[in-house]
């Protein structure tokens, strides 16, 4: 999440609720820009400060983010017959109205950036959003969502499709507001088997990649680069390379050289350092950077440097800065060259 690992974030957030910060365009914009300011010249893109769970909120579900506990739905979906499912499915969502604060934050941030770096917009993937809506938060065994997809597959797919349509509109409106590139985060993709991934995740990822350019055309806007990140779904890399996205982001479970072989030039790859390396020694960071760069072919083409997942709040900014500098040193690039270094 943009800037949440920086001490500057807590100063701006103060005693405000997390979603209160998201809903304030000025605060969201300020937090978005914090990493760009602190690591000036080392980061090649900004990502808007928001959250994937604004989509379930737009669907009428209540979401809280508790300190040190993560997101929680006080009233998750229980069964397709509990009444709430029908309410969610029947809700006509005015995405522009419900999530207008996100688009205002993007426009404000674009103006402040003055072209210094491109700005990412994003959304959660339908599968991951459904996991949260049913589980009520994170989970170790995902009992509730597995019950849903294997006991109520048709109802699950209907809600996945509705969520996918809202995601398309949400991304399109972010581009209209000024986002230069968009990313779809499927954080819980790895909880699906290869067979289940083909049923409950991949079709909706493909729907987004196909429908978004068409929706942008309705706005008289050109297509923008699209990134997909399916954490843990290492088995699906080949399919993801043919899923309509320009960039496939990788977690740290992928071997870079093998990923390059599988992608075979079909997409740009993004990733994939283990975020845990930032708790290690400087020598460990250097070794990882050298191995990662070699695996991705030296870093001159077809690779966006990123971590394999988000940064935890306990990471020291000085260690992250060392990581950035090592990327520049090992690849021999500057921020104006083909290598792009981003951290979400």
């Amino acid at each position: 999440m943009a800037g949440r690992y920086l001490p500057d974030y807590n100063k701006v957030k103060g005693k405000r609720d997390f979603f209160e910060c998201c809903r304030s365009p000025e605060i969201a914009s300020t937090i978005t820009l914090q990493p760009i300011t602190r690591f000036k010249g080392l980061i090649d893109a900004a990502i808007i400060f928001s959250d994937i769970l604004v989509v379930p909120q737009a669907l009428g579900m209540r979401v809280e983010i508790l300190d040190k506990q993560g997101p929680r739905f006080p009233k998750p979906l229980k069964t397709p017959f509990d009444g709430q499912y029908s309410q969610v499915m029947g809700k006509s969502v005015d995405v522009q109205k419900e999530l207008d604060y996100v688009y205002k934050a993007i426009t404000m941030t674009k103006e402040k950036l003055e072209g210094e770096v491109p700005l990412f917009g994003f959304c959660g993937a339908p599968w991951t959003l459904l996991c949260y809506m049913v589980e009520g938060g994170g989970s170790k065994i995902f009992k509730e969502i597995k019950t849903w997809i294997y006991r109520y597959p048709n109802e699950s797919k209907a809600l996945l499709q509705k969520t996918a349509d809202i995601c398309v509109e949400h991304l399109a409106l972010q581009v209209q507001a000024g986002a230069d590139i968009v990313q779809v985060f499927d954080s819980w993709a790895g909880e699906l088997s290869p067979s289940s991934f083909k049923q409950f995740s991949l079709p909706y990822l493909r729907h987004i990649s196909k429908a978004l350019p068409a929706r942008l055309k309705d706005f008289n806007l050109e297509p923008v680069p699209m990134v997909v990140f399916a954490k843990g779904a290492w088995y699906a890399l080949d399919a993801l390379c043919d899923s309509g996205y320009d960039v496939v982001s990788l977690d740290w479970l992928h071997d870079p050289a093998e990923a390059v072989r599988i992608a075979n030039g079909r997409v740009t790859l993004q990733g994939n350092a283990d975020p845990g390396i930032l708790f290690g020694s400087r020598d460990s960071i250097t070794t990882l950077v050298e191995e990662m760069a070699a695996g991705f072919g030296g870093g001159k083409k077809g690779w966006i440097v990123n971590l394999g997942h988000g940064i935890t709040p306990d990471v020291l900014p000085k260690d992250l800065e060392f990581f950035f500098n090592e990327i520049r040193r090992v690849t021999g690039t500057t921020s104006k060259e083909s290598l792009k270094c981003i951290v979400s």
Side-chain angles (χ1 to χ4, degrees), residues 13 29 46 61 78 121 132 143 147 152 184-185 201 212 214 218 235 245 271-272 275 302 314 324 337:
K13 180 179 181 292
S29 177
M61 298 191 71
K78 294 298 184 183
Y132 279 112
K143 170 182 173 290
T147 300
Y152 316 117
V184 180
F185 288 91
S201 177
L212 180 57
D218 292 338
Y235 50 78
Y245 291 84
N272 73 326
D314 298 323
F324 290 148
E337 295 181 288

Side-chain angles (χ1 to χ4, degrees), residues 137-182:
S139 175
K140 292 184 178 180
I141 61 173
F142 290 85
K143 170 182 173 290
E144 303 302 331
I145 188 61
K146 295 298 179 70
T147 300
W148 266 73
I149 62 174
Y150 296 130
R151 186 169 293 181
Y152 316 117
N154 293 335
E155 291 86 352
S156 296
K157 290 176 181 178
L159 184 48
L160 285 165
Q161 184 60 54
K162 183 179 180 72
T163 305
D165 289 336
I166 294 173
C167 288
V168 169
E169 188 71 5
H170 184 38
L171 292 174
L173 289 168
Q174 289 181 69
V175 174
Q176 184 182 54
D180 301 289
I181 182 171
V182 294

Side-chain angles (χ1 to χ4, degrees), residues 28-103:
S29 177
T30 297
I31 294 173
T32 299
L33 294 173
Q34 286 178 344
I36 304 301
T37 301
R38 178 180 277 261
F39 303 114
K40 196 170 185 63
L42 294 176
I43 300 179
D44 297 308
I47 184 166
I48 194 66
F49 179 80
S50 185
D51 197 83
I52 65 171
L53 298 180
V54 299
V55 168
Q57 288 178 329
L59 280 164
M61 298 191 71
R62 183 181 168 198
V63 188
E64 303 170 344
I65 291 190
L66 307 177
D67 287 343
K68 299 182 180 179
Q69 295 183 44
R72 186 176 76 91
F73 287 65
K75 189 180 178 183
L77 298 173
K78 294 298 184 183
T79 76
F81 317 109
D82 67 357
Q84 189 180 14
Y85 174 83
S86 297
Q87 291 175 3
V88 170
M89 287 299 299
K91 182 177 174 64
S92 178
V93 181
D94 184 337
V95 180
Q96 173 74 69
K97 179 181 177 181
E98 294 284 351
L99 302 179
D100 187 57
Y101 56 88
V102 177
Y103 317 130

Side-chain angles (χ1 to χ4, degrees), residues 255-331:
D255 174 76
E258 179 65 8
V260 170
R261 184 192 68 78
I262 293 172
N264 194 29
R266 288 176 288 171
V267 295
T268 293
L269 295 174
Q270 176 176 295
N272 73 326
D274 180 351
I277 195 66
L278 298 175
F279 295 115
S281 67
R282 296 295 173 89
D283 286 345
S284 296
I285 294 174
T286 295
T287 298
L288 179 143
V289 169
E290 290 173 344
E291 292 177 350
M292 181 173 64
F296 282 113
K300 296 294 185 181
K301 186 179 180 181
W303 175 39
I304 299 172
V305 182
N306 202 349
L307 298 175
H309 201 242
I311 301 175
T312 67
D314 298 323
V315 166
L316 298 178
K318 65 180 181 179
D319 293 326
L320 182 58
E321 184 173 6
F322 180 78
F323 172 81
F324 290 148
N325 281 314
E326 283 300 271
I327 289 291
R328 303 296 183 192
R329 181 187 66 81
V330 170
T331 59

Side-chain angles (χ1 to χ4, degrees), residues 186 196-207 239-240 243:
D186 207 351
S196 295
F197 182 82
K198 292 176 183 177
Q199 288 189 69
F200 299 106
S201 177
L202 188 58
Y204 308 100
L205 294 174
R206 285 177 169 159
H207 174 77
L240 289 169
S243 63

